[in-house]
Amino acid sequence: MSEKNRDGKRTARERLAVEREKQKAADKRRRALIVGASVVCVLGLAAVIGVVAANAGKDEGTKAGPAVAPSGAQGKDSLAIPVGKDGAKSTLTVWEDFRCPACQAFEAAYRPTLHELADAGKLRVEYHLVRLIDGNLGGTGSLRAANAAACAQDAGKFRDYHDVLFANQPKETDDAFADNDKLVELAGKVKGLDTQAFRTCVRNGTHDSWVEKAHQAFKSGGFGGTPTVLLDGKNIYEDRTMTPAKLKQMVEAADRG
């Protein structure tokens, strides 16, 4: 065999050896990627389970015990906080969550009209406080704010404090209302509300079970979300033509009989 042929075969063997080493390295990388991906999937699933567990835990914010309704609460199971005169010919039922952006938008648009009609004795508003966002995003801000609003009702300051909470609503994903100190601080914006009785009511969660009972009634009612707004039993929030002016016309027409 010539020296040239021997060199050619040697070169071929060397190339084959190099290719085999490359293949082994590729197989090793592929196995590492598969193992790594499996670990990532497991960790991802664990993270999801952890988030669900954390949210489930956070949603269990109510204290055991009987539901203590705030002073003056009315309706079935005393779940409604009334604003306005008993003799008003129209009743607006509002289901709200203090963490709900859509509720804040509704309040911003309709608040002046609701105040005007209620103060004139033409409309009675019944507020039902729920904790929908707590369940959806985790946390206890909806519950804590609703309890604080019920404490404000005990002090005869519900409407003003209700408006302050919506005016100072944090971002939906920010559970700032879970901090009782924040809720007490906001009470300072309502004259005469920041008292020891109010602070104790807020920090003790006096109306937590009542809020939970209202939330269960909301779920049992089959409502699609918050806010749910009913005028004499008819859902007007689903009416895309509804405006504060139209609502005012309807209420005033009913008041005239």
Side-chain angles (χ1 to χ4, degrees):
M1 182 181 291
S2 68
E3 186 69 26
K4 182 177 181 180
N5 286 341
R6 284 196 297 271
D7 289 344
K9 288 185 177 180
R10 187 183 306 115
T11 301
R13 286 196 298 272
E14 289 173 351
R15 286 200 302 268
L16 181 59
V18 170
E19 289 300 322
R20 285 176 177 171
E21 289 300 320
K22 287 182 179 179
Q23 186 62 42
K24 287 181 181 179
D27 290 342
K28 186 176 181 180
R29 287 195 301 271
R30 185 166 57 253
R31 286 194 298 271
L33 287 173
I34 291 172
V35 172
S38 299
V39 171
V40 169
C41 289
V42 171
L43 290 176
L45 179 59
V48 170
I49 293 173
V51 169
V52 172
N55 285 350
K58 289 177 181 177
D59 192 41
E60 297 297 326
T62 55
K63 296 182 178 180
V68 179
S71 176
Q74 299 180 359
K76 183 179 179 181
D77 295 326
S78 298
L79 297 180
I81 295 180
V83 172
K85 297 181 180 179
D86 291 341
K89 293 184 179 180
S90 295
T91 299
L92 194 72
T93 303
V94 182
W95 297 81
E96 289 184 321
D97 183 324
F98 286 109
R99 288 180 69 186
C100 164
C103 297
Q104 197 274 345
F106 168 77
E107 286 294 333
Y110 282 82
R111 182 182 299 123
T113 300
L114 298 186
H115 283 194
E116 178 186 348
L117 294 172
D119 291 344
K122 299 176 182 178
L123 178 68
R124 173 186 172 84
V125 186
E126 295 183 346
Y127 290 97
H128 297 256
L129 310 180
V130 301
R131 52 177 315 211
L132 191 64
I133 306 301
D134 284 355
N136 291 345
L137 297 180
T140 58
S142 301
L143 171 63
R144 299 265 51 79
N147 172 70
C151 294
Q153 170 66 12
D154 288 337
K157 306 284 185 179
F158 171 79
R159 188 171 83 170
D160 289 345
Y161 188 64
H162 162 276
D163 293 351
V164 164
L165 287 175
F166 277 117
N168 292 272
Q169 184 188 73
K171 291 182 179 180
E172 187 178 15
T173 54
D174 180 0
D175 196 26
F177 282 169
D179 183 356
N180 286 331
D181 288 341
K182 176 66 174 178
L183 298 170
V184 169
E185 176 188 334
L186 290 174
K189 296 180 179 290
V190 178
K191 185 178 180 180
L193 179 57
D194 187 7
T195 63
Q196 187 57 51
F198 173 79
R199 292 184 175 208
T200 299
C201 181
V202 170
R203 289 173 176 151
N204 286 352
T206 299
H207 301 296
D208 280 2
S209 294
W210 175 83
V211 175
E212 182 61 31
K213 193 170 184 178
H215 183 68
Q216 294 304 320
F218 173 78
K219 292 197 293 186
S220 298
F223 301 121
T226 52
T228 291
V229 186
L230 313 173
L231 180 62
D232 296 324
K234 181 180 179 181
N235 193 328
I236 63 169
Y237 193 72
E238 295 177 344
D239 182 355
R240 295 186 179 182
T241 68
M242 186 58 60
T243 63
K246 182 176 179 179
L247 174 61
K248 183 178 179 180
Q249 290 176 354
M250 295 170 68
V251 171
E252 289 183 336
D255 185 64
R256 290 193 298 270

